[in-house]
Amino acid sequence: MVDLSCKYLGLELKNPLVVGSSGLTSSIDKLKTIAQMGAGAVVLKSIFEEQIKYEADKFLQSDNPEMKSWQKAFQGIVSKTEFYYDEAFEYLTNYAKEHTLNHYLSLISEAKKNISIPVIASINCSTQYDWQYFAKRIEEAGADALELNVYLLPSDFDKDGIENENVYFSIIEEVKKFVTIPVSLKTGYYFSSLAQTLLKLSETGIAGLTLFNRPYNPDIDIENLQVTSSNMFSSDTEYSHSLRWVALMSGRLKCNIAASTGIHNHQTVIKQLLAGADAVHLVSVFYKNPSHHFDVLPQILSGMENWMTSHNYKSISDFKGLLSRKNVHNPASYERVQFLRLFSSIE
Ligand SMILES: Cc1cc2nc3c(=O)[nH]c(=O)nc-3n(C[C@H](O)[C@H](O)[C@H](O)COP(=O)(O)O)c2cc1C
């Protein structure tokens, strides 16, 4: 018998397979199936900053009886002074935000009541907004950890690298002031000096970094001359970028590393663990599975067990990081970006 258990974000996981944040982790029924199928942990669908603002606006306009009575009271105040107007508006907006947040909090508490694997909540932020407050409420609802999903596209010509990067540090700093549960950061790779920034981020006291989120990507329809979106789901060959950075960062960062993107089978899970990942996040593989979303979980787990048995590994720690940059004889294999000899031999 092999032991697949591991530690991730200070939590005990029975195996390193984490079902990543997505629509698949947004209802209690799916969460129960995920747990039954053997996942080590789950990251809930993110609560999005944009969504909160949108829902708050919608709620403020709604026919909800509770809201109607507030709107009536609000009208009275509006006719008084500007000062009261601002106060009342802020009060109503907070009330509406609370309404939206409560849906998410009840998913967390329901999950904690119904499944025994760790439940990691997720918030998507791009400004400092209300994250301290949201994070605190998420902690109180019982989440075991919190993943901050922050992915800024540095496309603003008026902002330099430092200004963009500071957003990440400020969000972490603000959130960490208010919660004691482990916090991890899921991010992209648009940093001017990726290695140094990841190291500095890992020194902020976060428990983990998830490398990397897979962004929404635009495409162009050349017949209808329209901008469209490209593949929403990853393919099983898309893991190399994450593998490279997991291998380069492993043993250097001050926090755990989770690999994300393109992990669709036990072979890739094992590659990421050999590169030094503490856990792996899987999403697209479930969406792409035509039969049953989550029956790939037991298949991946038994693939891992067979591989470990055939290599005489009894636990994950026997082989984790064995092929990280720190441990390989030829680190250039991870750092090389030009094919050199390979290119020159192809005619
Ligand atoms: C339909 C869908 C919804 C997603 N929603 C979220 C989300 O709410 N929060 C988040 O951090 N990532 C979200 N993601 C990104 C995934 O968690 C994951 O990082 C990405 O898909 C790469 O992993 P994969 O190759 O296994 O799909 C979503 C992905 C998909 C396909």
Side-chain angles (χ1 to χ4, degrees), residues 38-223:
V42 64
V43 186
L44 302 182
K45 178 157 180 58
S46 305
I47 182 160
F48 280 79
E49 182 170 344
E50 273 173 83
Q51 176 199 349
I52 294 163
K53 287 178 180 160
Y54 170 77
E55 296 285 344
D57 284 348
K58 214 169 77 179
F59 188 69
L60 285 170
Q61 319 288 334
S62 77
D63 285 338
N64 178 312
E66 208 173 350
M67 201 62 236
K68 280 274 167 227
S69 70
W70 280 112
Q71 281 163 350
K72 225 164 151 192
F74 186 50
Q75 292 303 327
I77 297 167
V78 173
S79 57
K80 294 185 186 165
T81 67
E82 200 55 23
F83 172 75
Y84 282 127
Y85 179 90
D86 284 349
E87 278 210 334
F89 187 75
E90 195 186 323
Y91 185 81
L92 280 186
T93 309
N94 286 340
Y95 181 82
K97 276 192 252 172
E98 191 69 21
H99 181 81
T100 308
L101 178 63
N102 281 337
H103 281 287
Y104 197 68
L105 299 179
S106 58
L107 178 66
I108 297 171
S109 49
E110 276 301 293
K112 285 306 294 172
K113 269 187 238 147
N114 285 282
I115 60 175
S116 56
I117 58 172
V119 174
I120 304 167
S122 168
I123 49 184
N124 167 275
C125 11
S126 51
T127 67
Q128 285 181 32
Y129 200 46
D130 286 324
W131 300 118
Q132 308 110 323
Y133 173 69
F134 279 61
K136 184 83 202 137
R137 297 290 307 277
I138 281 169
E139 177 173 75
E140 285 163 3
D144 295 294
L146 174 64
E147 186 172 82
L148 303 173
N149 169 14
V150 191
Y151 198 136
L152 303 182
L153 194 79
S155 58
D156 185 339
F157 288 98
D158 295 327
K159 284 189 183 153
D160 63 18
I162 293 176
E163 202 176 337
N164 281 318
E165 281 152 21
N166 278 342
V167 175
Y168 293 81
F169 290 93
S170 313
I171 289 172
I172 293 171
E173 194 187 336
E174 289 308 310
V175 167
K176 287 228 14 98
K177 276 187 210 156
F178 283 76
V179 293
T180 55
I181 51 172
V183 173
S184 70
L185 175 74
K186 180 183 191 181
T187 188
Y189 30 82
Y190 293 115
F191 295 101
S192 51
S193 175
L194 186 52
Q196 192 183 75
T197 308
L198 292 176
L199 176 63
K200 284 186 184 164
L201 286 166
S202 80
E203 290 168 342
T204 57
I206 54 171
L209 271 160
T210 303
L211 309 178
F212 298 99
N213 204 340
R214 183 174 184 273
Y216 162 90
N217 286 309
D219 201 354
I220 287 180
D221 175 342
I222 59 168
E223 291 311 321

Side-chain angles (χ1 to χ4, degrees), residues 30-31 47 51 112 123 142 148 195 218 226 258 279 301 329 336:
K30 285 181 189 149
L31 294 176
I47 182 160
Q51 176 199 349
K112 285 306 294 172
I123 49 184
L148 303 173
Q226 273 176 356
L301 289 169
H329 293 304
R336 179 184 301 141

Side-chain angles (χ1 to χ4, degrees), residues 321-336:
L322 219 58
L323 296 180
S324 68
R325 183 201 179 280
K326 234 175 76 182
N327 293 331
V328 289
H329 293 304
N330 180 16
S333 44
Y334 287 120
E335 304 211 320
R336 179 184 301 141

